Amino acid sequence: MGEPIPDANAIEAADEKYVMRPWGHPAGEPVIIAKARGCVVTDVHGKDYLDLTAGYFVNNAGHCHPRIIEAVTRQLHEVLQVSGKHGTVPAVRLAEKLVSLAPRTIHKAFFSTGGSEANEFALKLARQFRKKPDIAYMENGYHGLTLGSLEVTANEKYRDTAGKPLGHDNYAIPTAYCYRCKYGPHAQCKVECLDGIDALFDAHPNTAGLIAETIQAVGGLAPPQKWWDRLDQARRKRGILLIADEIQTGMGRTGKMFAIDHYGLEPEIMTGGKGLSGGVGSLGLTAAGSEVAHSFFGGTPPPSGGNAVSAAGGLAMIETIFAEGLIDNAAKMGRYFAEAAWALRDASVRRARVTGLLGGIELVKNRDTREVLGKAEMSKVKDHLHAQGMLITISGLYGNVLRLQPPLSITAQQLDQFIAALRNTLRTVRGA
């Protein structure tokens, strides 16, 4: 336990009175955080939590990493932000670093202020280059909550927040949900879920691009290689641009620098965000090949796009994850977590689906029938974990996945703490 701050109750009261929040919260939330280091955050009352969300997926190197703090503090004395018509040294260096780490088809980087914005610029870029309006997206896909990004987000509850019809220029294609495949066991997969993809693309001849997380952050769905090979071939045949959304999956999260690296994919456009700034402010990335970038007209650049302090934080974050071997640690800890979750031998744990430190545990009522654990039970699971000092979110197509996206620096000991809390939670909830 940390030390409570003197006006803790007053701060919570002010939060309730003055802060607008876009969703309802269960008991005990929101947590007002006063201090954060590594994988642990401390609320205003001094209670410690193991943060399995990395500050909602942004602190890949851990909260308040000394290397990042030093870099941004130094930058604060140089320049903060200039017009988007010009540039700063950190932003130029970050663009160069990201292009050097990206697939060979990516040559230029454009910075905005967040992931939704980055994806909207990517949609503009694809439409401008191809001179076609339609965009294909994945079932279960999530690409943001602004109006343009909602048009390529599958969740109907999110889409309804637009308050207006979203049009018919975009369409969904099947996602590889192998655990619940209607065609049979995963081991016998013939990628039947894509049997209609050629006809679907042909029915939409005005398709400019396909936007996708190659490994979906919502539930951690990772298609087999042959699935992506077939889809990639079908879209290339028609000149459809691949927009790889690496907003959550990038920066080492999956045990490789980018999720596309698991499949050898070469997108024409790639986006980034969340962890890109090292947790300092916010950055969005829209990157593309030279030919595609040549035709780009975005209008007035975002006033705070690519600000120098966030760019300095991003550079320090990239240096940190390589210097401290955090990408390898993500891969190692992901395997450790999956084995530990399965070793619980709990009736509710049917699948620990993680790639690196992206994914989670799919909870079911019955292992044989794979009936999902319901919303009420999932809420109880989350509340019980929260009471034990575990910050975690619920995700997945059916809302039955305990999401795992901690800082890449998380240790086996800390994962053991979560597994112990989960064991206690599942027994308690099932007993109740």
Side-chain angles (χ1 to χ4, degrees):
M1 288 285 291
E3 289 292 327
I5 64 175
D7 52 349
N9 292 332
I11 289 175
E12 287 187 330
D15 174 82
E16 184 175 358
K17 183 176 181 179
Y18 297 112
V19 178
M20 182 186 299
R21 298 190 181 278
W23 60 79
H25 289 278
E29 294 189 8
V31 177
I32 310 301
I33 296 168
K35 186 177 181 180
R37 293 291 185 276
C39 297
V40 177
V41 299
T42 306
D43 72 8
V44 290
H45 298 288
K47 181 177 179 179
D48 292 335
Y49 293 86
L50 181 59
D51 184 9
L52 297 158
T53 75
Y56 229 61
F57 327 133
V58 302
N59 294 285
N60 283 20
H63 290 277
C64 296
H65 193 286
R67 189 190 298 260
I68 296 174
I69 291 174
E70 180 183 358
V72 300
T73 301
R74 187 166 57 246
Q75 185 59 43
L76 285 170
H77 295 281
E78 302 297 333
V79 61
L80 303 181
Q81 175 61 356
V82 297
S83 165
K85 294 176 66 176
H86 306 293
T88 64
V89 173
V92 173
R93 287 178 174 165
L94 181 59
E96 180 182 24
K97 173 60 72 173
L98 290 167
V99 168
S100 73
L101 294 170
R104 62 182 180 178
T105 47
I106 300 298
H107 309 126
K108 290 181 177 291
F110 171 79
F111 293 118
S112 54
T113 55
S116 294
E117 191 177 37
N119 279 338
E120 292 212 21
F121 277 115
L123 301 182
K124 283 185 180 182
L125 193 56
R127 286 167 171 151
Q128 289 172 10
F129 180 75
R130 293 283 290 139
K131 296 180 173 56
K132 294 181 177 183
D134 295 359
I135 302 291
Y137 60 92
M138 303 288 193
E139 295 172 352
N140 199 45
Y142 174 80
H143 301 289
L145 293 175
T146 53
L147 282 176
S149 61
L150 277 174
E151 291 190 347
V152 291
T153 290
N155 186 299
E156 289 298 331
K157 186 176 180 180
Y158 288 154
R159 292 172 68 87
D160 287 345
T161 65
K164 61 180 282 265
L166 292 176
H168 305 286
D169 290 337
N170 308 315
Y171 60 96
I173 68 172
T175 290
Y177 197 164
C178 298
Y179 172 58
R180 298 185 180 275
C181 180
K182 61 184 178 181
Y183 297 102
H186 185 197
Q188 300 173 14
C189 175
K190 296 185 177 66
V191 202
E192 294 97 323
C193 57
L194 286 180
D195 280 352
I197 193 63
D198 290 295
L200 187 58
F201 280 155
D202 289 341
H204 295 84
N206 289 320
T207 302
L210 161 65
I211 187 169
E213 292 175 308
T214 48
I215 300 173
Q216 287 189 330
V218 178
L221 301 181
Q225 180 72 52
K226 56 188 172 183
W227 189 90
W228 263 114
D229 289 344
R230 182 172 178 181
L231 180 58
D232 197 44
Q233 182 181 27
R235 68 94 187 170
R236 284 180 179 276
K237 181 179 178 181
R238 293 161 178 82
I240 297 171
L241 305 184
L242 175 59
I243 305 169
D245 180 343
E246 294 279 355
I247 292 165
Q248 292 191 57
T249 59
M251 302 295 108
R253 168 63 53 192
T254 65
K256 291 185 181 291
M257 190 63 191
F258 301 109
I260 45 180
D261 296 337
H262 289 276
Y263 298 97
L265 295 169
E266 296 185 337
E268 285 79 17
I269 303 172
M270 186 176 80
T271 61
K274 290 201 183 291
L276 187 60
S277 69
V280 182
S282 183
L283 281 178
L285 166 74
T286 306
S290 296
E291 186 180 7
V292 176
H294 181 73
S295 64
F296 179 48
F297 177 73
T300 302
S304 297
N307 79 83
V309 180
S310 293
L315 278 167
M317 183 274 300
I318 293 173
E319 292 170 1
T320 299
I321 63 175
F322 282 111
E324 299 184 3
L326 297 186
I327 298 178
D328 290 339
N329 189 65
K332 180 180 178 181
M333 289 299 99
R335 292 190 295 269
Y336 182 90
F337 172 78
E339 292 169 2
W342 189 246
L344 285 173
R345 301 194 182 282
D346 188 280
S348 297
V349 176
R350 184 61 185 89
R351 182 85 171 181
R353 185 173 52 243
V354 291
T355 307
L357 288 170
L358 177 84
I361 301 175
E362 183 160 356
L363 298 180
V364 296
K365 286 185 178 180
N366 184 293
R367 280 191 176 189
D368 296 325
T369 65
R370 303 183 184 184
E371 179 185 358
V372 303
L373 200 64
K375 183 177 180 180
E377 291 91 345
M378 289 299 299
S379 293
K380 291 177 182 177
V381 168
K382 183 174 182 293
D383 290 348
H384 203 274
L385 286 169
H386 181 92
Q388 295 175 84
M390 301 291 150
L391 288 188
I392 196 163
T393 57
I394 294 173
S395 185
L397 183 60
Y398 303 105
N400 68 320
V401 177
L402 285 178
R403 197 176 199 173
L404 180 78
Q405 287 183 231
L408 308 188
S409 56
I410 198 165
T411 65
Q413 181 181 16
Q414 288 171 321
L415 288 174
D416 286 343
Q417 293 173 17
F418 172 66
I419 292 294
L422 180 61
R423 178 188 294 109
N424 179 46
T425 293
L426 293 176
R427 289 175 179 173
T428 301
V429 170
R430 190 162 45 247

